[in-house]
Amino acid sequence: MSAALPLLASEEFKAPGLGLFEWPPILASGPAWFNKPTALMMLGSLLVIVFAYAAFSRPRVVPRGMQNVGELAYTFVREQVARPFLGTKDSDRWMPLLFTLFFFVWIMNLFGSIIFIQFPVMSIIGYPAILAIMVWVLTQYLGVKRQGPIGLFKNVMFPPGLPKWVYVLVAPIEFLSHFFLRHITHAVRLFATMMAGHLIVALFSDVGWHFLFVALTPLGAPLGLIGVIMTILLTGFELFIQALQAYVFALLTAMFIGGALHPEH
Amino acid sequence: MKLLAAEEAGASIILPTVAEMVIGGFAFLVVLFFVGKILVPRIQKTLAERTDLIEGGIKRAEAAQAEAQALQQQYRDQLAEARQEAARLREEAREQAAQIKVELREEAQAEARRLIEAAHAQIEADRQQAFAQLRAEIGRLSIDLAGRIVGESLEDETRQRRTVDRFLDELESSSAQAVR
Protein backbone atom coordinates (compact mmCIF):
# COMPACT_ATOMS: atom_id res chain seq x y z
CA MET A 1 0.00 0.00 0.00
CA SER A 2 2.72 2.45 0.94
CA ALA A 3 4.26 2.00 -2.51
CA ALA A 4 1.10 3.24 -4.26
CA LEU A 5 0.44 6.23 -2.08
CA PRO A 6 3.39 8.65 -2.36
CA LEU A 7 1.61 10.29 -5.33
CA LEU A 8 -1.26 11.30 -3.11
CA ALA A 9 0.42 12.50 0.04
CA SER A 10 3.44 14.56 0.82
CA GLU A 11 4.07 12.57 3.99
CA GLU A 12 4.31 8.88 3.52
CA PHE A 13 1.58 6.76 5.12
CA LYS A 14 2.92 3.96 7.25
CA ALA A 15 0.51 1.15 7.98
CA PRO A 16 0.46 0.04 11.61
CA GLY A 17 2.23 -3.27 12.12
CA LEU A 18 2.98 -5.79 14.79
CA GLY A 19 4.42 -3.03 16.90
CA LEU A 20 0.84 -2.48 18.04
CA PHE A 21 1.24 -5.50 20.25
CA GLU A 22 4.53 -4.47 21.82
CA TRP A 23 4.13 -2.48 24.98
CA PRO A 24 6.75 -0.80 27.07
CA PRO A 25 6.48 -0.93 30.86
CA ILE A 26 4.05 1.65 32.23
CA LEU A 27 6.45 2.72 34.93
CA ALA A 28 9.91 3.46 33.59
CA SER A 29 11.53 2.20 36.76
CA GLY A 30 8.89 -0.51 37.37
CA PRO A 31 8.93 -4.16 36.39
CA ALA A 32 9.12 -4.95 32.68
CA TRP A 33 6.00 -7.13 32.75
CA PHE A 34 3.75 -4.34 34.02
CA ASN A 35 2.58 -2.87 30.73
CA LYS A 36 -0.77 -1.93 29.23
CA PRO A 37 -2.05 -5.47 28.48
CA THR A 38 -1.09 -6.60 31.98
CA ALA A 39 -2.84 -3.65 33.55
CA LEU A 40 -5.91 -4.31 31.39
CA MET A 41 -5.83 -7.96 32.40
CA MET A 42 -6.04 -6.89 36.04
CA LEU A 43 -8.68 -4.28 35.36
CA GLY A 44 -10.73 -6.77 33.36
CA SER A 45 -10.48 -9.39 36.09
CA LEU A 46 -11.66 -6.85 38.60
CA LEU A 47 -14.56 -5.81 36.36
CA VAL A 48 -15.72 -9.39 35.95
CA ILE A 49 -15.61 -9.91 39.70
CA VAL A 50 -17.41 -6.62 40.39
CA PHE A 51 -20.09 -7.36 37.84
CA ALA A 52 -20.62 -10.88 39.16
CA TYR A 53 -20.67 -9.53 42.69
CA ALA A 54 -23.26 -6.88 41.82
CA ALA A 55 -25.41 -9.46 40.12
CA PHE A 56 -25.03 -12.55 42.30
CA SER A 57 -23.84 -11.51 45.75
CA ARG A 58 -27.32 -11.49 47.24
CA PRO A 59 -29.53 -13.23 44.74
CA ARG A 60 -33.27 -13.18 45.21
CA VAL A 61 -35.87 -15.58 44.00
CA VAL A 62 -37.60 -12.62 42.36
CA PRO A 63 -34.69 -10.98 40.52
CA ARG A 64 -34.05 -7.25 40.57
CA GLY A 65 -31.71 -4.85 38.78
CA MET A 66 -28.30 -6.30 38.02
CA GLN A 67 -29.44 -9.76 38.93
CA ASN A 68 -31.69 -9.75 35.87
CA VAL A 69 -28.71 -9.02 33.64
CA GLY A 70 -26.58 -11.57 35.43
CA GLU A 71 -29.26 -14.22 35.14
CA LEU A 72 -29.67 -13.48 31.47
CA ALA A 73 -25.94 -14.03 31.03
CA TYR A 74 -25.95 -17.10 33.22
CA THR A 75 -28.85 -18.75 31.43
CA PHE A 76 -27.34 -17.86 28.06
CA VAL A 77 -24.10 -19.66 28.93
CA ARG A 78 -26.01 -22.55 30.47
CA GLU A 79 -28.41 -23.06 27.58
CA GLN A 80 -26.07 -22.28 24.70
CA VAL A 81 -22.72 -23.50 25.99
CA ALA A 82 -23.03 -25.98 28.83
CA ARG A 83 -26.17 -28.03 28.20
CA PRO A 84 -25.61 -28.96 24.55
CA PHE A 85 -22.37 -30.71 25.50
CA LEU A 86 -22.73 -31.65 29.14
CA GLY A 87 -26.41 -32.39 29.52
CA THR A 88 -28.61 -31.05 32.27
CA LYS A 89 -26.93 -32.90 35.11
CA ASP A 90 -23.25 -32.14 34.52
CA SER A 91 -23.96 -28.57 33.43
CA ASP A 92 -24.43 -27.23 36.94
CA ARG A 93 -21.16 -28.82 38.00
CA TRP A 94 -19.19 -27.05 35.25
CA MET A 95 -21.12 -23.81 34.95
CA PRO A 96 -18.82 -21.93 37.38
CA LEU A 97 -15.87 -22.58 35.10
CA LEU A 98 -17.72 -21.99 31.84
CA PHE A 99 -19.46 -18.84 33.02
CA THR A 100 -16.18 -17.40 34.34
CA LEU A 101 -14.34 -18.33 31.15
CA PHE A 102 -16.94 -16.79 28.91
CA PHE A 103 -17.05 -13.48 30.76
CA PHE A 104 -13.35 -13.34 31.39
CA VAL A 105 -12.58 -13.78 27.70
CA TRP A 106 -15.38 -11.51 26.60
CA ILE A 107 -14.37 -8.58 28.81
CA MET A 108 -10.75 -8.97 27.73
CA ASN A 109 -11.89 -8.94 24.10
CA LEU A 110 -14.27 -6.07 24.68
CA PHE A 111 -11.41 -3.81 25.71
CA GLY A 112 -10.54 -3.73 22.00
CA SER A 113 -13.60 -1.61 21.28
CA ILE A 114 -13.73 0.59 24.38
CA ILE A 115 -12.56 4.08 23.72
CA PHE A 116 -9.21 5.12 25.27
CA ILE A 117 -8.52 1.51 26.19
CA GLN A 118 -8.77 0.10 22.69
CA PHE A 119 -6.73 -3.00 23.11
CA PRO A 120 -8.07 -6.56 23.15
CA VAL A 121 -6.02 -8.29 25.80
CA MET A 122 -6.58 -11.69 24.19
CA SER A 123 -4.56 -10.52 21.18
CA ILE A 124 -1.49 -11.23 23.30
CA ILE A 125 -0.86 -14.94 22.75
CA GLY A 126 0.20 -15.63 26.34
CA TYR A 127 -3.30 -15.07 27.73
CA PRO A 128 -5.26 -17.37 25.45
CA ALA A 129 -2.39 -19.83 25.74
CA ILE A 130 -2.53 -20.09 29.52
CA LEU A 131 -6.32 -20.49 29.42
CA ALA A 132 -6.02 -23.22 26.79
CA ILE A 133 -3.30 -24.91 28.83
CA MET A 134 -5.53 -24.90 31.91
CA VAL A 135 -8.37 -26.41 29.89
CA TRP A 136 -5.93 -28.94 28.45
CA VAL A 137 -4.75 -30.00 31.90
CA LEU A 138 -8.31 -30.20 33.16
CA THR A 139 -9.61 -32.29 30.25
CA GLN A 140 -6.69 -34.71 30.32
CA TYR A 141 -7.15 -35.12 34.06
CA LEU A 142 -10.87 -35.73 33.63
CA GLY A 143 -10.24 -38.11 30.73
CA VAL A 144 -7.78 -40.22 32.70
CA LYS A 145 -10.00 -40.16 35.77
CA ARG A 146 -13.14 -41.18 33.91
CA GLN A 147 -11.78 -43.53 31.27
CA GLY A 148 -8.47 -44.67 32.78
CA PRO A 149 -5.20 -43.94 31.00
CA ILE A 150 -5.55 -46.89 28.61
CA GLY A 151 -9.24 -46.33 28.03
CA LEU A 152 -8.58 -42.70 27.17
CA PHE A 153 -6.06 -43.58 24.47
CA LYS A 154 -8.23 -46.39 23.20
CA ASN A 155 -11.32 -44.20 22.96
CA VAL A 156 -9.40 -41.42 21.26
CA MET A 157 -7.32 -43.40 18.81
CA PHE A 158 -9.60 -46.32 18.04
CA PRO A 159 -13.15 -45.08 17.74
CA PRO A 160 -15.33 -48.13 17.09
CA GLY A 161 -17.13 -48.87 13.84
CA LEU A 162 -14.43 -48.26 11.25
CA PRO A 163 -12.80 -50.71 8.82
CA LYS A 164 -9.57 -52.06 10.29
CA TRP A 165 -7.16 -50.55 7.79
CA VAL A 166 -8.52 -47.07 8.38
CA TYR A 167 -7.10 -47.08 11.89
CA VAL A 168 -3.62 -46.80 10.41
CA LEU A 169 -4.64 -43.31 9.38
CA VAL A 170 -7.10 -42.48 12.09
CA ALA A 171 -5.05 -43.42 15.13
CA PRO A 172 -2.13 -40.99 14.66
CA ILE A 173 -4.37 -38.20 13.37
CA GLU A 174 -6.78 -38.55 16.24
CA PHE A 175 -3.92 -38.79 18.71
CA LEU A 176 -2.34 -35.56 17.51
CA SER A 177 -5.63 -33.80 17.06
CA HIS A 178 -7.17 -34.81 20.34
CA PHE A 179 -4.21 -34.30 22.63
CA PHE A 180 -2.47 -31.36 21.00
CA LEU A 181 -3.79 -29.71 17.89
CA ARG A 182 -7.30 -28.92 19.02
CA HIS A 183 -5.95 -27.36 22.20
CA ILE A 184 -3.39 -25.32 20.27
CA THR A 185 -6.04 -24.07 17.86
CA HIS A 186 -8.24 -23.40 20.89
CA ALA A 187 -5.75 -20.72 21.93
CA VAL A 188 -4.62 -19.61 18.48
CA ARG A 189 -8.17 -19.09 17.19
CA LEU A 190 -8.91 -16.58 19.93
CA PHE A 191 -5.53 -14.92 19.73
CA ALA A 192 -5.50 -14.64 15.94
CA THR A 193 -9.01 -13.27 15.50
CA MET A 194 -8.44 -10.67 18.19
CA MET A 195 -5.06 -9.70 16.81
CA ALA A 196 -6.26 -9.50 13.23
CA GLY A 197 -9.35 -7.56 14.23
CA HIS A 198 -7.32 -5.09 16.20
CA LEU A 199 -4.84 -4.73 13.35
CA ILE A 200 -7.57 -4.06 10.78
CA VAL A 201 -9.41 -1.52 12.92
CA ALA A 202 -6.10 0.17 13.69
CA LEU A 203 -5.24 0.25 10.01
CA PHE A 204 -8.48 1.90 8.95
CA SER A 205 -8.50 4.38 11.78
CA ASP A 206 -4.92 5.23 10.92
CA VAL A 207 -5.93 5.74 7.31
CA GLY A 208 -8.68 8.10 8.43
CA TRP A 209 -6.40 9.98 10.74
CA HIS A 210 -3.56 10.25 8.26
CA PHE A 211 -5.52 11.33 5.20
CA LEU A 212 -7.99 13.65 6.93
CA PHE A 213 -5.77 15.30 9.55
CA VAL A 214 -2.06 14.66 9.05
CA ALA A 215 -1.93 15.08 5.30
CA LEU A 216 -5.23 16.38 3.95
CA THR A 217 -5.25 16.40 0.14
CA PRO A 218 -8.18 16.46 -2.33
CA LEU A 219 -7.30 13.03 -3.57
CA GLY A 220 -6.57 11.60 -0.16
CA ALA A 221 -9.69 12.92 1.57
CA PRO A 222 -12.11 10.32 0.12
CA LEU A 223 -9.68 7.60 1.15
CA GLY A 224 -9.61 9.06 4.65
CA LEU A 225 -13.42 9.12 4.70
CA ILE A 226 -13.53 5.50 3.66
CA GLY A 227 -11.09 4.78 6.47
CA VAL A 228 -13.41 6.42 9.04
CA ILE A 229 -16.51 4.66 7.74
CA MET A 230 -14.72 1.34 7.68
CA THR A 231 -13.45 1.91 11.19
CA ILE A 232 -17.00 2.40 12.43
CA LEU A 233 -18.33 -0.60 10.54
CA LEU A 234 -15.46 -2.81 11.60
CA THR A 235 -15.82 -1.75 15.21
CA GLY A 236 -19.39 -2.98 15.07
CA PHE A 237 -18.20 -6.18 13.46
CA GLU A 238 -15.49 -6.52 16.10
CA LEU A 239 -18.07 -6.21 18.90
CA PHE A 240 -19.79 -9.21 17.38
CA ILE A 241 -16.55 -11.14 16.87
CA GLN A 242 -15.42 -10.45 20.43
CA ALA A 243 -18.57 -11.96 21.87
CA LEU A 244 -18.52 -14.78 19.33
CA GLN A 245 -14.93 -15.74 20.15
CA ALA A 246 -15.65 -15.72 23.88
CA TYR A 247 -18.66 -17.92 23.17
CA VAL A 248 -16.62 -20.26 20.98
CA PHE A 249 -13.86 -20.48 23.57
CA ALA A 250 -16.31 -21.46 26.31
CA LEU A 251 -18.21 -23.73 23.91
CA LEU A 252 -15.07 -25.67 22.96
CA THR A 253 -14.14 -25.95 26.61
CA ALA A 254 -17.56 -27.45 27.31
CA MET A 255 -17.09 -29.79 24.36
CA PHE A 256 -13.67 -30.95 25.59
CA ILE A 257 -15.01 -31.54 29.10
CA GLY A 258 -18.03 -33.35 27.70
CA GLY A 259 -15.76 -35.53 25.56
CA ALA A 260 -13.59 -36.39 28.56
CA LEU A 261 -16.63 -37.28 30.69
CA HIS A 262 -18.61 -39.15 28.04
CA PRO A 263 -16.28 -40.49 25.35
CA GLU A 264 -19.12 -42.44 23.74
CA HIS A 265 -20.64 -39.26 22.30
CA MET B 1 19.07 -2.18 15.88
CA LYS B 2 15.63 -1.15 14.78
CA LEU B 3 15.39 -4.02 12.33
CA LEU B 4 16.42 -6.45 15.01
CA ALA B 5 13.68 -5.14 17.29
CA ALA B 6 11.10 -5.58 14.53
CA GLU B 7 12.21 -9.15 13.97
CA GLU B 8 12.00 -9.83 17.66
CA ALA B 9 8.50 -8.36 17.70
CA GLY B 10 7.49 -10.68 14.85
CA ALA B 11 8.63 -13.71 16.78
CA SER B 12 7.28 -12.69 20.16
CA ILE B 13 3.82 -12.06 18.82
CA ILE B 14 3.24 -15.79 18.38
CA LEU B 15 5.33 -16.99 21.28
CA PRO B 16 3.87 -16.56 24.74
CA THR B 17 6.14 -15.24 27.45
CA VAL B 18 6.26 -16.69 30.92
CA ALA B 19 5.29 -13.36 32.48
CA GLU B 20 2.08 -13.13 30.42
CA MET B 21 1.10 -16.66 31.23
CA VAL B 22 1.77 -16.29 34.93
CA ILE B 23 -0.19 -13.06 35.13
CA GLY B 24 -3.00 -14.34 32.89
CA GLY B 25 -3.22 -17.63 34.76
CA PHE B 26 -3.17 -15.93 38.13
CA ALA B 27 -5.77 -13.36 37.10
CA PHE B 28 -8.04 -16.05 35.74
CA LEU B 29 -7.71 -18.20 38.84
CA VAL B 30 -8.57 -15.24 41.04
CA VAL B 31 -11.63 -14.50 38.93
CA LEU B 32 -12.53 -18.18 38.91
CA PHE B 33 -12.30 -18.25 42.69
CA PHE B 34 -14.53 -15.23 43.26
CA VAL B 35 -16.96 -15.71 40.42
CA GLY B 36 -16.95 -19.45 39.94
CA LYS B 37 -16.43 -20.63 43.49
CA ILE B 38 -18.39 -18.03 45.45
CA LEU B 39 -20.84 -16.15 43.25
CA VAL B 40 -22.07 -18.61 40.63
CA PRO B 41 -23.15 -21.21 43.23
CA ARG B 42 -25.30 -18.52 44.83
CA ILE B 43 -27.20 -17.82 41.66
CA GLN B 44 -27.43 -21.55 41.00
CA LYS B 45 -28.99 -22.01 44.39
CA THR B 46 -31.42 -19.17 43.75
CA LEU B 47 -32.37 -20.52 40.34
CA ALA B 48 -32.91 -23.95 41.86
CA GLU B 49 -35.06 -22.38 44.57
CA ARG B 50 -37.09 -20.58 41.95
CA THR B 51 -37.57 -23.77 39.99
CA ASP B 52 -38.61 -25.52 43.17
CA LEU B 53 -40.98 -22.73 44.01
CA ILE B 54 -42.62 -22.77 40.60
CA GLU B 55 -42.72 -26.53 40.39
CA GLY B 56 -43.95 -26.65 43.97
CA GLY B 57 -46.69 -24.17 43.08
CA ILE B 58 -47.71 -26.23 40.10
CA LYS B 59 -47.62 -29.39 42.18
CA ARG B 60 -49.67 -27.76 44.92
CA ALA B 61 -52.22 -26.58 42.39
CA GLU B 62 -52.39 -30.05 40.91
CA ALA B 63 -52.81 -31.57 44.34
CA ALA B 64 -55.56 -29.10 45.18
CA GLN B 65 -57.32 -29.87 41.92
CA ALA B 66 -57.02 -33.58 42.50
CA GLU B 67 -58.37 -33.14 45.99
CA ALA B 68 -61.28 -31.07 44.73
CA GLN B 69 -62.05 -33.71 42.14
CA ALA B 70 -61.84 -36.46 44.72
CA LEU B 71 -64.14 -34.49 46.98
CA GLN B 72 -66.59 -33.93 44.15
CA GLN B 73 -66.49 -37.60 43.32
CA GLN B 74 -67.07 -38.39 46.95
CA TYR B 75 -70.06 -36.07 47.09
CA ARG B 76 -71.46 -37.57 43.96
CA ASP B 77 -71.02 -41.04 45.37
CA GLN B 78 -72.64 -40.02 48.60
CA LEU B 79 -75.51 -38.39 46.76
CA ALA B 80 -76.06 -41.48 44.64
CA GLU B 81 -75.87 -43.62 47.74
CA ALA B 82 -78.37 -41.41 49.53
CA ARG B 83 -80.73 -41.59 46.59
CA GLN B 84 -80.40 -45.34 46.49
CA GLU B 85 -80.95 -45.51 50.21
CA ALA B 86 -84.07 -43.37 49.94
CA ALA B 87 -85.41 -45.52 47.16
CA ARG B 88 -84.67 -48.60 49.17
CA LEU B 89 -86.42 -47.15 52.22
CA ARG B 90 -89.44 -46.21 50.16
CA GLU B 91 -89.60 -49.67 48.75
CA GLU B 92 -89.24 -51.18 52.18
CA ALA B 93 -91.95 -48.94 53.60
CA ARG B 94 -94.23 -49.89 50.77
CA GLU B 95 -93.57 -53.54 51.38
CA GLN B 96 -94.08 -53.11 55.08
CA ALA B 97 -97.31 -51.25 54.52
CA ALA B 98 -98.55 -54.00 52.27
CA GLN B 99 -97.55 -56.59 54.79
CA ILE B 100 -99.22 -54.71 57.62
CA LYS B 101 -102.37 -54.42 55.55
CA VAL B 102 -102.37 -58.14 54.89
CA GLU B 103 -101.73 -58.90 58.54
CA LEU B 104 -104.47 -56.57 59.68
CA ARG B 105 -106.88 -58.06 57.26
CA GLU B 106 -106.03 -61.57 58.43
CA GLU B 107 -106.35 -60.52 62.02
CA ALA B 108 -109.68 -58.89 61.37
CA GLN B 109 -110.90 -61.93 59.56
CA ALA B 110 -109.70 -64.16 62.36
CA GLU B 111 -111.41 -61.91 64.88
CA ALA B 112 -114.55 -61.97 62.90
CA ARG B 113 -114.44 -65.74 62.64
CA ARG B 114 -113.80 -65.99 66.35
CA LEU B 115 -116.71 -63.69 67.11
CA ILE B 116 -118.92 -65.62 64.81
CA GLU B 117 -117.88 -68.86 66.39
CA ALA B 118 -118.38 -67.44 69.86
CA ALA B 119 -121.83 -66.27 68.83
CA HIS B 120 -122.57 -69.66 67.39
CA ALA B 121 -121.41 -71.33 70.59
CA GLN B 122 -123.48 -68.91 72.64
CA ILE B 123 -126.51 -69.53 70.53
CA GLU B 124 -125.98 -73.26 70.80
CA ALA B 125 -125.63 -73.05 74.58
CA ASP B 126 -128.71 -70.84 74.82
CA ARG B 127 -130.56 -73.23 72.67
CA GLN B 128 -129.49 -76.18 74.81
CA GLN B 129 -130.46 -74.35 77.94
CA ALA B 130 -133.77 -73.25 76.54
CA PHE B 131 -134.34 -76.74 75.32
CA ALA B 132 -133.55 -78.22 78.74
CA GLN B 133 -135.85 -75.71 80.45
CA LEU B 134 -138.49 -76.23 77.91
CA ARG B 135 -138.23 -79.97 78.34
CA ALA B 136 -138.72 -79.72 82.07
CA GLU B 137 -141.53 -77.21 81.65
CA ILE B 138 -143.21 -79.24 78.95
CA GLY B 139 -142.98 -82.37 81.13
CA ARG B 140 -144.64 -80.63 84.06
CA LEU B 141 -147.28 -78.99 81.94
CA SER B 142 -148.05 -82.25 80.16
CA ILE B 143 -148.39 -84.14 83.43
CA ASP B 144 -150.61 -81.38 84.76
CA LEU B 145 -152.63 -81.49 81.63
CA ALA B 146 -152.75 -85.28 81.45
CA GLY B 147 -153.66 -85.44 85.13
CA ARG B 148 -156.48 -83.06 84.61
CA ILE B 149 -157.66 -84.85 81.55
CA VAL B 150 -157.29 -88.38 82.89
CA GLY B 151 -158.23 -87.27 86.39
CA GLU B 152 -155.80 -89.54 87.76
CA SER B 153 -153.00 -88.09 89.70
CA LEU B 154 -149.89 -89.47 88.61
CA GLU B 155 -148.43 -89.49 91.99
CA ASP B 156 -145.93 -92.11 91.37
CA GLU B 157 -142.90 -90.09 90.63
CA THR B 158 -140.88 -92.76 88.97
CA ARG B 159 -143.52 -93.92 86.56
CA GLN B 160 -144.48 -90.42 85.87
CA ARG B 161 -140.96 -89.49 84.89
CA ARG B 162 -140.51 -92.53 82.74
CA THR B 163 -143.61 -91.82 80.86
CA VAL B 164 -142.73 -88.20 80.30
CA ASP B 165 -139.25 -89.03 79.16
CA ARG B 166 -140.46 -91.60 76.68
CA PHE B 167 -142.92 -89.15 75.37
CA LEU B 168 -140.36 -86.44 75.07
CA ASP B 169 -137.85 -88.69 73.35
CA GLU B 170 -140.43 -89.59 70.76
CA LEU B 171 -141.26 -85.99 70.40
CA GLU B 172 -137.64 -85.03 70.07
CA SER B 173 -136.89 -87.61 67.44
CA SER B 174 -139.89 -86.59 65.41
CA SER B 175 -139.08 -82.90 65.82
CA ALA B 176 -135.48 -83.55 64.87
CA GLN B 177 -136.76 -85.24 61.74
CA ALA B 178 -138.98 -82.33 61.11
CA VAL B 179 -136.10 -79.84 61.63
CA ARG B 180 -134.00 -81.74 59.17
Side-chain angles (χ1 to χ4, degrees), chain A residues 10 70 83 89 135 155 221 238 253:
Chain A
S10 52
R83 288 201 170 160
K89 226 179 73 188
V135 172
N155 285 332
E238 272 304 294
T253 303

Side-chain angles (χ1 to χ4, degrees), chain A residues 86-107:
Chain A
L86 296 169
T88 310
K89 226 179 73 188
D90 283 339
S91 285
D92 282 355
R93 169 96 179 72
W94 295 103
M95 267 308 286
L97 174 68
L98 296 172
F99 182 79
T100 311
L101 253 184
F102 175 75
F103 274 92
F104 189 78
V105 174
W106 188 42
I107 292 281

Side-chain angles (χ1 to χ4, degrees), chain A residues 21-22 33 38 45 52-53 56-57 59-61 63 71 74 92 95-96 100 104 124-127 130-131 134 191, chain B residues 9 12-13 15-16 20-21 23-25 27-29 31-32 34-36 39-40 42-44 46-47 49-50 53:
Chain A
F21 304 95
E22 291 271 295
W33 54 263
T38 320
S45 303
Y53 185 82
F56 300 153
S57 66
R60 295 178 199 182
V61 173
E71 278 187 13
Y74 179 86
D92 282 355
M95 267 308 286
T100 311
F104 189 78
I124 301 285
I125 180 72
Y127 300 126
I130 187 63
L131 294 182
M134 285 176 172
F191 150 72
Chain B
S12 76
I13 197 118
L15 286 179
E20 287 161 12
M21 296 211 290
I23 292 162
F28 179 71
L29 288 179
V31 175
L32 185 63
F34 280 109
V35 175
L39 295 167
V40 167
R42 288 190 192 173
I43 194 68
Q44 282 179 328
T46 306
L47 290 177
E49 271 173 25
R50 187 180 304 159
L53 216 67

Side-chain angles (χ1 to χ4, degrees), chain B residues 147-165:
Chain B
R148 273 191 215 163
I149 296 169
V150 177
E152 172 195 4
S153 178
L154 295 175
E155 292 289 317
D156 189 356
E157 188 72 28
T158 320
R159 276 171 60 193
Q160 192 180 333
R161 180 135 312 273
R162 223 173 22 237
T163 311
V164 171
D165 278 347

Side-chain angles (χ1 to χ4, degrees), chain A residues 96-245:
Chain A
L97 174 68
L98 296 172
F99 182 79
T100 311
L101 253 184
F102 175 75
F103 274 92
F104 189 78
V105 174
W106 188 42
I107 292 281
M108 297 305 165
N109 288 349
L110 202 57
F111 281 152
S113 295
I114 292 174
I115 195 160
F116 299 130
I117 294 177
Q118 282 165 323
F119 184 77
V121 184
M122 287 298 165
S123 65
I124 301 285
I125 180 72
Y127 300 126
I130 187 63
L131 294 182
I133 288 169
M134 285 176 172
V135 172
W136 182 78
V137 170
L138 174 70
T139 49
Q140 299 320 314
Y141 167 74
L142 286 175
V144 170
K145 196 176 147 200
R146 277 298 178 95
Q147 306 166 39
I150 296 164
L152 175 64
F153 280 96
K154 202 172 140 269
N155 285 332
V156 168
M157 293 169 68
F158 301 99
L162 291 175
K164 281 232 167 70
W165 59 271
V166 177
Y167 287 112
V168 179
L169 280 172
V170 165
I173 290 173
E174 280 294 318
F175 175 80
L176 273 179
S177 156
H178 187 274
F179 291 105
F180 300 105
L181 293 180
R182 63 176 197 171
H183 294 283
I184 293 171
T185 55
H186 194 202
V188 169
R189 178 183 302 107
L190 177 58
F191 150 72
T193 46
M194 285 304 107
M195 195 200 78
H198 184 54
L199 205 57
I200 287 175
V201 172
L203 171 71
F204 280 108
S205 54
D206 227 21
V207 165
W209 174 253
H210 183 85
F211 290 102
L212 290 181
F213 295 95
V214 178
L216 184 61
T217 59
L219 276 175
L223 198 60
L225 209 62
I226 288 172
V228 171
I229 293 168
M230 284 305 284
T231 303
I232 294 167
L233 290 179
L234 282 171
T235 299
F237 185 61
E238 272 304 294
L239 284 172
F240 168 68
I241 295 291
Q242 285 156 2
L244 183 72
Q245 284 303 322

Side-chain angles (χ1 to χ4, degrees), chain A residues 3-10 219:
Chain A
L5 288 170
L7 296 170
L8 307 174
S10 52
L219 276 175

